[in-house]
Amino acid sequence: MTTRPTIAIIGAGFSGSLLALHLLSRGVDCPRVLLIERASDFGRGLAYATGNPAHLLNVRAGNMSAFPDQPEHFLSWLRAQGDAVPGAEGAGPASFVARQTYGHYLQKLVSDAAKQSRSAGRLILVPDTAVALRREGERMVVRLDVGREYTLDAAVLAIGNFPPQPPHLFDGSFFRSPRFHPDPWAPSVARDIGVRDSVLVIGTGLTMVDTVLSLRARGHQGQIVALSRRGLLPRRHTDAAPHVVPPPPDMPASLSRILAHVRRTVRQEQAAGRAWQPVIDSLRPRTVAYWQALPLVERKRFLRHLRPWWDVHRHRLAPSVATQLTALQATGALIVTAGRLQRIEEVPDAVQGRVRVTYRPRNEASDITFPVDQVINCSGPCCDILRVTDPLVRDLLAQGTIRPDPLHLGLDVDVEARVLDAGGRPVAGLYAIGPVTRGTFWEMTAVPDIRMQAATLAQHISAYIDRHVRVAADA
C-alpha cells in the first residue's frame, strides 16, 4: 500500500489556508496536509482576526473571492449569510465589507474543508508553533513547540508578516518603557492606553489607520499625532464602482518607462473626467512581470524613492474610512506630520505628558519637541529576516536553509517559490508563499495577488510530489 505524501503548511492565515484548499482540491491524489498555526483561529490570520467592525477591507467585495476561477464565490457566500454574519446583509460587488466578515468567510472555508469526507485524514489542523525544520535524508522533519515532530515530504513557509522593528535612534532606552507599544496588535494597546492619553503613532500607513479607529472605537479622546518620514496617508478609493482601464502593454525593464506610462495614462483619464485609481489597478496583471524584469539596481531605486508613493496609491482606504480620517484631522483629534524622529525620552515627573518626543520636520533645519503619554509603533512589518526573532526563522537561518533576498524584503525564493538556501540553491521540497516572497514577486500582500500565487504554487508542489515523492515510493 502506497503511503500518502505529507505536506506541512506552516501558518494558517489567508496564504497558508488557501494553499491547503487548493492542494485538497486534487481529490484522490490529494496529499496529507498538516496546517500548523500558532494562533487559536485557522484561516483568519492577523489581518482578518480583528473584531472591530470599523476595520474594512481595502478591496471591493467583488474582487475578494478566495478562488481566481470562481470570481463570484465571496459574493455568493455573503448573499447566503443574510443577517447571520454582521456586515454580510446588503453587501454587493462595490461594497467594502468588514475584515472580520471576511475572516468568517475564510474560517468557514477551512472548517468546511476539514469536515468533508474527501478530506478525512487528509487535512489535519495542528494548533501549535513550529520551532524547527530539518532535513533527514530525502524527507524533512518539523518540530513543534510542545516537542512533537512530523516527518514530511514537502513544507511551505506561510509565515506572514512579522511585528515592526523599533525606529533607529541613537538612544533606544525608551523602547524598554511600558509607554512604548512595539506591536500595534498587542492586547497592551487596549489595556494600557488611557481614554485621555495623548498618543504618538510612528507611521502613517494602513496600520496607523487601523490603530486610530480602534482607539476611537474604545472611546479614546486624547490627541493622536501620526509621524512618518514623508507624512503620506493612504489615498481614497473612488466612491462609485471604478471603470475599467485596459492593462498596460509589455514594456522594457525600465522603471522610468513604467512610471512615464502611469503618469501619461492618469493624465488622459483625468482629462476625460475619470478617476486615476483604475490606472493603478490596471497594473496588477503586469506588476510581477515588471518587477522581475527590473535589474536589481532599478528595484533598489524604486524602494528608495518611489515605494512610499506606490504604497499609498496602490493600497487605498475604503471611502467611509477615509471620511472618518478626514473628520478626525479636521477637528484636530488626529495630526499627521512628516519628519524624522530624533529622540524619545520618558519624563517621569512631567506635568504634561510622560514622554518627550523630538523630531526634525521634513525639509526643515531645526527640531521640534512635544509631549505625549504613549507611543505606538505602526511603522509596518519587519521584512528583514535577519532581524526577526521567530524561532523557526532563526533555526533555518542557522542551518543555512534560508537566506534573505537581495533587497531584504523577505525570504529568497525562485520564480516557482522554492526557497533558496545560503548558497542560492533551491531546497528540495521547501516553498514559501505570501508576503515573505515579496523580494521575488513584490505584490504579495493583497488577496487578489495571493490567491493567484496559491493556485500556481499548488500546481508546483503537486508536480514535485508526483515527480519525486510518488516515483520514489513506487520504485
Side-chain angles (χ1 to χ4, degrees), residues 2-3 5 153 462-475:
T2 303
T3 303
D153 296 289
S462 297
Y464 170 80
I465 292 294
D466 291 342
R467 188 168 58 247
H468 297 284
V469 178
R470 297 188 197 274
V471 169
D474 294 338

Side-chain angles (χ1 to χ4, degrees), residues 62-350:
N63 201 21
M64 288 296 288
S65 169
F67 306 104
D69 59 341
Q70 301 177 57
E72 295 286 316
H73 193 275
F74 179 51
L75 289 174
S76 297
W77 179 85
L78 283 172
R79 297 184 188 109
Q81 304 314 302
D83 58 0
V85 174
E89 189 175 17
S95 301
F96 294 90
V97 303
R99 293 213 303 268
Q100 64 177 355
T101 301
Y102 196 71
H104 287 305
Y105 167 66
L106 297 177
Q107 198 168 40
K108 187 69 163 55
L109 291 178
V110 175
S111 174
D112 287 350
K115 294 175 183 176
Q116 289 176 0
S117 58
R118 71 177 186 183
S119 299
R122 301 181 186 181
L123 176 61
I124 300 174
L125 306 183
V126 184
D128 203 348
T129 301
V131 297
L133 182 67
R134 66 181 186 274
R135 180 164 291 282
E136 289 190 356
E138 296 299 314
R139 307 185 78 191
M140 287 180 281
V141 174
V142 62
R143 179 164 56 85
L144 307 181
D145 194 35
V146 295
R148 188 172 183 178
E149 295 186 341
Y150 291 94
T151 301
L152 315 169
D153 296 289
V156 183
L157 303 176
I159 47 184
N161 288 309
F162 297 102
Q165 291 287 310
H168 293 287
L169 296 178
F170 178 75
D171 180 2
S173 58
F174 172 73
F175 301 139
R176 297 188 292 272
S177 167
R179 294 183 178 273
F180 176 65
H181 305 273
D183 182 355
W185 305 106
S188 62
V189 175
R191 183 185 65 239
D192 298 341
I193 294 181
V195 172
R196 292 181 174 81
D197 281 352
S198 56
V199 178
L200 168 68
V201 177
I202 302 171
T204 58
L206 293 172
T207 304
M208 178 278 291
V209 175
D210 282 348
T211 299
V212 169
L213 295 180
S214 292
L215 288 172
R216 290 307 182 192
R218 293 194 293 269
H220 180 261
Q221 300 171 17
Q223 187 178 67
I224 301 171
V225 177
L227 172 68
S228 68
R229 295 279 185 89
R230 295 173 178 83
L232 296 173
L233 286 173
R235 298 319 195 239
R236 179 191 186 110
H237 274 285
T238 56
D239 292 280
H243 62 282
V244 176
V245 175
D250 292 332
M251 287 185 282
S254 166
L255 190 58
S256 298
R257 289 285 299 275
I258 297 170
L259 186 59
H261 166 82
V262 172
R263 287 172 170 166
R264 182 173 59 253
T265 310
V266 166
R267 286 195 297 268
Q268 292 171 351
E269 292 298 302
Q270 291 182 329
R274 296 188 289 265
W276 59 265
Q277 289 90 335
V279 177
I280 303 299
D281 297 339
S282 72
L283 295 173
R284 176 168 269 153
R286 299 280 193 272
T287 302
V288 173
Y290 285 164
W291 178 256
Q292 292 178 346
L294 287 176
L296 183 61
V297 65
E298 288 280 83
R299 296 189 201 185
K300 290 180 177 179
R301 182 171 160 234
F302 170 83
L303 294 175
R304 187 166 57 249
H305 298 295
L306 294 178
R307 180 180 183 178
W309 278 269
W310 169 261
D311 284 346
V312 298
H313 287 86
R314 171 69 178 79
H315 304 288
R316 302 186 293 271
L317 298 175
S320 62
V321 172
T323 298
Q324 293 179 66
L325 215 62
T326 300
L328 290 172
Q329 289 179 272
T331 62
L334 171 65
I335 296 175
V336 178
T337 189
R340 183 188 295 267
L341 274 174
Q342 304 289 84
R343 293 183 301 280
I344 309 180
E345 308 161 285
E346 191 163 14
V347 188
D349 299 324

Side-chain angles (χ1 to χ4, degrees), residues 14 56 63 87 132 157 161 346 362 372 376 444 447:
F14 178 76
L56 303 184
N63 201 21
L157 303 176
N161 288 309
E346 191 163 14
R362 185 171 174 81
V372 294
I376 307 174
M444 281 303 152
V447 166

Side-chain angles (χ1 to χ4, degrees), residues 379-400:
S379 57
C382 176
C383 298
D384 187 352
I385 63 170
L386 298 180
R387 302 180 66 191
V388 304
T389 58
D390 180 85
L392 178 61
V393 172
R394 304 311 304 173
D395 172 71
L396 292 172
L397 280 170
Q399 295 180 58

